[in-house]
Amino acid sequence: MDRKLLWLLFFMVLSLGGTSQVYFTRNGFTGFYSKTPFEDIAAENSQVYAVLDLANKKLAFAMLLRGFQFRKELMQEHFNEEYVESDHYPKAEFTGTFTGPGNLTDPGSHSIEVTGVLTLHGVSRPLSTPAELIIMPGKVTATANFDLTPGDFNIKIPSVVRYKIASVIHVKVNAQLFPR
Amino acid sequence: MMKKKRFLFLLLAIIAVALGLAFALHYINRPPENVADMAAVAEIQADSLYATYLSQERRGDSLYLNKILIVTGTVQQKGRSGPHFFIILSTGGQGGINCEINSADSSEVANITTHQPVKIKGRCTGFLMDVNLTDGVLIK
């Protein structure tokens, strides 16, 4: 998705509905982790863009795949050049909605269910995951943990290194959003 | 005599294989290169960098993507995201230069104030509302 479409998407989330309580960040955190007996892999990105509309229960996330940092140089190279092909597919995006019991705009911790579409490596897939919103005056913290399968996004792991990479990757999301 | 030669040859072969393996392991497991030790391809003002990407993203990528830049600008915002610190440089536009700061420099971020002019060296990872730099180090 190019820059103009991304702005349009964010504007749509901002403009839909009546009274909006819209929160935004440019520095959300996403990490993905793979554990095997041969190797543990961790990659972290702290430049995740997110917008959350509390009143209309919509949210969107976007990040540059080159923003993921690994502990080993070679892993980072392989990730960008061979697995996610970040030159061709530079961004990962999620757009969706969330539901949960009670009034989700009240201060406090809320367990929610997020449903939407994740686009990665040129493939869009539905994604649902439980998440948590912590509403405080002037700040919303959103956290989620879920699993992804690289093959679902047409990410091919060479057989030579397949034993080093878990078939299911664990993803952590943590974003502190502030009023837009 | 022949036995001694064969033994020496075997010993040398084992040493060569061991050295080769050690080198290969070092290459495979090497950490990312420290941006502070790398040469920058360009030194640029924050507003110029942003303007280049805003007008023609592809041109920006061809010039700067995955390259080391030194960017000069004023601090619009700073903060922390998980284990990482960030500084956003203002550009006069809607977006900024979003700099993720290398953990080795994280203590320096505490001394930075809003509107302070700074110079940051980092790797450009592309454009997403802001121009993003990672592995940033503050240049004194």
Side-chain angles (χ1 to χ4, degrees), chain A residues 2 8 20 32 49 55 61 65 76 106 122 124-125 130 134 153 171 177:
Chain A
D2 67 17
L8 180 64
S20 70
F32 68 80
Y49 291 72
F61 283 72
L65 291 172
Q76 194 157 326
D106 286 344
S124 295
R125 287 249 172 199
I134 300 174
F153 296 91
V171 180
L177 302 99

Side-chain angles (χ1 to χ4, degrees), chain B residues 66-134:
Chain B
N66 208 33
K67 305 225 173 67
I68 307 300
L69 307 178
I70 295 175
V71 183
T72 304
T74 52
V75 176
Q76 178 182 307
Q77 188 186 342
K78 67 168 192 178
R80 187 170 183 166
S81 170
H84 304 280
F85 289 85
F86 66 87
I87 292 173
I88 310 254
L89 301 180
S90 60
T91 62
Q94 271 196 312
I97 312 299
N98 187 343
C99 311
E100 179 256 332
I101 302 299
N102 188 300
S103 55
D105 261 28
S106 55
S107 58
E108 300 276 338
V109 179
N111 300 326
I112 301 288
T113 56
T114 313
H115 307 302
Q116 179 180 336
V118 293
K119 211 177 252 198
I120 297 176
K121 186 180 185 183
R123 185 188 301 275
C124 179
T125 54
F127 184 58
L128 190 66
M129 295 188 182
D130 305 314
V131 178
N132 283 10
L133 297 185
T134 59

